[in-house]
Amino acid sequence: MYRILFRRMLAALGFVCVTHALAAPTTSSPADPLLSQEAMTAQVDAASLAKYREIVGTFNAAVRARPNDSALALARCRFMQNYSWSEDLRWGEQAQTDLNACQKALKAQFGDIPEVALYVLQSTFGKAAIEQGSALLPKAKTWPAADRARLHAALANAYEATQDRRNAGIQAVQAAELLSDTPVLLLAVRHLALTGETTKARRLLMDAPVPKTPWQANARINTAHDVLPGTLARDLVLRMQKAGLKIDPYTSARALLQAGDAPGAQRALADVKPDSPESAQNRALRVSVALAAGDGPAASAAIRASLEHDTNNRWPLAQSYAVLLSIDPAAAMRPAFASLMLTLLLAGLSIVLLPGLLMFPAHYVGTVRARKGRPTIAIFEGIGLRHAWYGLAAFCLATWIIPALLIGQLALMRTGASAELQILQPKLAMAHLVTLGVVSVLLAHTVGKFGWRQWPGYGNWKARWFIWPAILLAVAAISAWVMARHAVPGAPADSPLWNEVIVHGAAQLGGPGLALLLIAVAVPIVEEFVFRGCLLGGLTRHMSFAAANVWQALIFASVHFDAKHFLFFVVFGLTTGWLAKKTHGLAAPIVIHAINNAIFVAMVLSR
């Protein structure tokens, strides 16, 4: 009843304002004040203010007649609020003064009523809103569920406004558990995904009723895509479409691609109007969809469109072009892609030459030492600086080019920023296996130079040499056990995810046995030969062992792209390098490396 009365009063106020202005007398005299826009506006303001005062007076009389009617008192404040927040009215400050007095009286008399308490809270902002809302929590235990949900939602927004995302998420989750279609649903979902409660986050999204507008549906789908990898975003697309909502084609395509349905994503993008403008992000999506579908002509057209518009996006496009080379070489050989081909060639040449640049200081140090009569002795016969250069260059080039050709968008995947990463895990593991095979083939001649005798090692070994490696492995095992024990199931891993992705991908392809074979057998053999055999062996021919060992350990740690564990990789590289010198071979370093990687595999698969 009060809402109907409220609407009628608003309509009456607007009608009086308009009719008063229209009824103003006209004259042809230029001196007539009514021809002045300012004068006419002043009359409209005066009329609207008079009508506002009249309606407020009606409200005041009704409130005096029914002093215990909280709904009527609340309707009066809401009426004033409509005009106090208006930036177009010249008398808005007067309405604000009325509103302040109204809210003060409302809170003093009806502050314990949920509807009133929530109204007053929603008119408060920042830390004051947090303090006021937190004080209401004990009283809210007896409130209806919908009102409690509104209280938690208001607190979530207040915390979000003060950049306290943790408490904002906690309050949003409580609101979503009480009211499935709460306005802070997506904030709750993001918080749950961030804290590893992905099952609960999925349930909240799927249990929420279908929204009324397409933009709300798109927001839910995009949130699922961003924080909940898998098929949930696609499931939401199908649910929203079944309910009759029109979903943005790019949103649909992104969700379908994440679920591994590249043809479906292509069909979704086909709904985009040909003359519609595309953002750089949507053009990149079109490229990814075409490449995932193996559609060479579509990928070629998408890359060409991105090349024309996104001049600052050359490197990701070059990696996508590398995938196009493997999908449709004929389409990739068009003159329009000459710049991308040149980018790839220059990148490959830089990767090959960079290890050579690193060897120049070593060669200079060796020359100076030889002139001073202090030559060094290489720890491995037959391995020199050129083998160090070639071994490192072959390893780095294959590690870059093979995954780029087979998968594409490598830089994005290394940061763990791609939502499609989980779908690509098996392909990434296969690419890693192919990379190790290519490196082995490229280094076959160097293996012959290395000789069979230096693989197992020779000389008298001493047990005390293995005390420190054993301690290091024990620390790694304990750390892995602690991390696995305290890991939150389903929690998103920290960047970078490269090594973990390879383990999971190998396990998907052939179970834990293949993961162990790849990570704990093949990787140690190849990496120990490259870094301890070729790199350390070549450097020690020109510089002291201590300097060479530090150098190779730093390079070894750098190529793993893991800043979080960089120090561990350095210490591990120093340890295996020292063992290689002591045992005159690679067998002991390979075994230590294999044990360490086996511990890592066990930790990843147990999470």
Side-chain angles (χ1 to χ4, degrees):
M1 179 182 70
Y2 295 121
R3 291 182 180 177
I4 295 174
L5 177 63
F6 180 60
R7 292 195 189 101
R8 289 178 178 175
M9 288 180 175
L10 287 179
L13 176 60
F15 177 76
V16 168
C17 294
V18 173
T19 53
H20 187 89
L22 293 177
T26 58
T27 177
S28 59
S29 173
D32 194 329
L34 290 179
L35 294 181
S36 167
Q37 290 294 324
E38 231 179 85
M40 288 190 290
T41 301
Q43 289 191 42
V44 171
D45 285 338
S48 62
L49 176 58
K51 192 61 182 179
Y52 165 81
R53 289 295 188 198
E54 178 184 337
I55 296 175
V56 168
T58 302
F59 264 120
N60 292 339
V63 168
R64 285 193 297 270
R66 299 195 297 274
N68 296 324
D69 192 337
S70 62
L72 180 61
L74 183 58
R76 178 177 63 172
C77 291
R78 282 178 171 162
F79 172 78
M80 296 173 181
Q81 183 174 297
N82 282 306
Y83 300 97
S84 66
W85 289 0
S86 175
E87 297 179 357
D88 299 327
L89 294 176
R90 298 187 182 184
W91 46 272
E93 292 184 1
Q94 300 177 45
Q96 181 63 53
T97 302
D98 294 341
L99 176 64
N100 293 337
C102 182
Q103 288 181 339
K104 185 177 181 180
L106 182 69
K107 184 178 180 181
Q109 187 174 0
F110 303 108
D112 292 334
I113 297 177
E115 185 74 15
V116 172
L118 290 171
Y119 166 75
V120 174
L121 176 60
Q122 289 166 357
S123 302
T124 313
F125 305 97
K127 293 182 178 180
I130 295 174
E131 294 175 0
Q132 187 172 320
S134 299
L136 290 174
L137 287 175
K139 302 177 183 178
K141 293 179 180 180
T142 59
W143 289 5
D147 290 331
R148 296 205 311 273
R150 290 173 58 194
L151 172 59
H152 288 296
L155 274 171
N157 290 326
Y159 278 117
E160 183 75 7
T162 58
Q163 304 298 313
D164 187 348
R165 291 184 173 84
R166 177 180 174 276
N167 281 318
I170 292 173
Q171 294 297 328
V173 169
Q174 294 185 35
E177 290 175 339
L178 291 166
L179 188 64
S180 57
D181 60 345
T182 177
V184 293
L185 172 65
L186 299 185
L187 182 60
V189 170
R190 288 183 178 277
H191 174 76
L192 290 172
L194 183 64
T195 55
E197 296 185 71
T198 54
T199 301
K200 192 173 181 179
R202 292 171 185 273
R203 179 178 57 78
L204 286 181
L205 271 179
M206 293 304 294
D207 289 349
V210 175
K212 297 179 180 179
T213 61
W215 72 266
Q216 290 175 317
N218 287 320
R220 290 190 191 180
I221 295 167
N222 286 325
T223 298
H225 172 273
D226 293 341
V227 302
L228 297 169
T231 62
L232 179 64
R234 180 202 61 189
D235 296 340
L236 286 173
V237 169
L238 298 176
R239 183 185 179 201
M240 303 304 174
Q241 289 176 340
K242 186 177 179 180
L245 291 174
K246 184 174 178 57
I247 305 303
D248 176 65
Y250 297 106
T251 299
S252 297
R254 196 174 295 112
L256 292 168
L257 180 62
Q258 184 186 51
D261 185 5
Q266 276 194 307
R267 289 191 296 271
L269 289 178
D271 293 337
V272 178
K273 296 180 180 179
D275 56 344
S276 298
E278 278 191 318
S279 65
Q281 180 183 8
N282 289 336
R283 282 191 291 270
L285 173 64
R286 193 177 289 277
V287 172
S288 298
V289 168
L291 292 176
D295 189 338
S300 174
I303 293 174
R304 190 162 60 250
S306 292
L307 192 60
E308 292 175 359
H309 295 89
D310 307 325
T311 56
N312 296 327
N313 206 26
R314 187 62 54 87
W315 179 237
L317 282 177
Q319 295 181 73
S320 297
Y321 173 70
V323 185
L324 180 62
L325 280 170
S326 63
I327 293 175
D328 191 345
M333 292 302 170
R334 295 178 180 176
F337 299 135
S339 61
L340 296 181
M341 180 176 287
L342 181 61
T343 300
L344 287 178
L345 291 175
L346 290 176
L349 184 62
S350 300
I351 291 173
V352 170
L353 293 179
L354 182 59
L357 296 176
L358 294 174
M359 303 307 157
F360 273 111
H363 183 270
Y364 174 77
V365 171
T367 302
V368 172
R369 290 178 68 94
R371 287 180 179 178
K372 292 183 177 181
R374 294 189 295 123
T376 57
I377 300 175
I379 63 173
F380 297 126
E381 299 174 4
I383 297 297
L385 205 56
R386 67 181 183 277
H387 301 107
W389 179 352
Y390 179 72
L392 187 58
F395 180 85
C396 293
L397 183 63
T399 301
W400 169 72
I401 199 169
I402 300 301
L405 284 171
L406 296 180
I407 306 297
Q409 303 298 331
L410 183 61
L412 184 61
M413 293 174 194
R414 280 201 181 277
T415 65
S418 175
E420 291 76 31
L421 194 58
Q422 186 175 2
I423 302 298
L424 293 173
Q425 284 177 352
K427 292 184 179 180
L428 288 168
M430 182 59 68
H432 197 62
L433 182 61
V434 173
T435 299
L436 295 177
V438 170
V439 172
S440 300
V441 171
L442 292 175
L443 297 180
H445 179 71
T446 308
V447 171
K449 290 285 186 181
F450 191 72
W452 67 268
R453 183 167 176 259
Q454 295 175 127
W455 280 96
Y458 55 89
N460 296 322
W461 292 10
K462 297 180 180 179
R464 68 173 182 270
W465 295 348
F466 298 92
I467 295 176
W468 167 246
I471 294 174
L472 186 61
L473 290 176
V475 171
I478 294 172
S479 300
W481 178 80
V482 171
M483 291 177 63
R485 183 179 178 85
H486 293 86
V488 178
D494 294 333
S495 177
L497 301 174
W498 189 249
N499 293 330
E500 291 90 337
V501 165
I502 299 300
V503 173
H504 284 298
Q508 290 181 38
L509 286 174
L514 181 59
L516 284 170
L517 183 64
L518 177 62
I519 303 300
V521 177
V523 168
I525 293 174
V526 173
E527 289 190 354
E528 288 305 317
F529 180 72
V530 170
F531 292 98
R532 261 62 75 178
C534 295
L535 186 56
L536 180 61
L539 290 175
T540 52
R541 192 175 290 277
H542 292 267
M543 58 200 312
S544 67
F545 171 78
N549 199 29
V550 170
W551 203 337
Q552 68 84 19
L554 290 173
I555 296 174
F556 172 74
S558 299
V559 300
H560 282 79
F561 298 98
D562 190 345
K564 185 177 179 180
H565 300 100
F566 182 82
L567 181 60
F568 174 80
F569 283 120
V570 171
V571 175
F572 188 84
L574 290 172
T575 302
T576 51
W578 178 79
L579 270 181
K581 177 178 182 295
K582 288 293 185 180
T583 61
H584 302 285
L586 294 180
I590 288 174
V591 170
I592 297 299
H593 200 151
I595 295 174
N596 177 77
N597 284 15
I599 294 171
F600 174 76
V601 170
M603 178 200 72
V604 172
L605 295 182
S606 66
R607 289 164 63 176

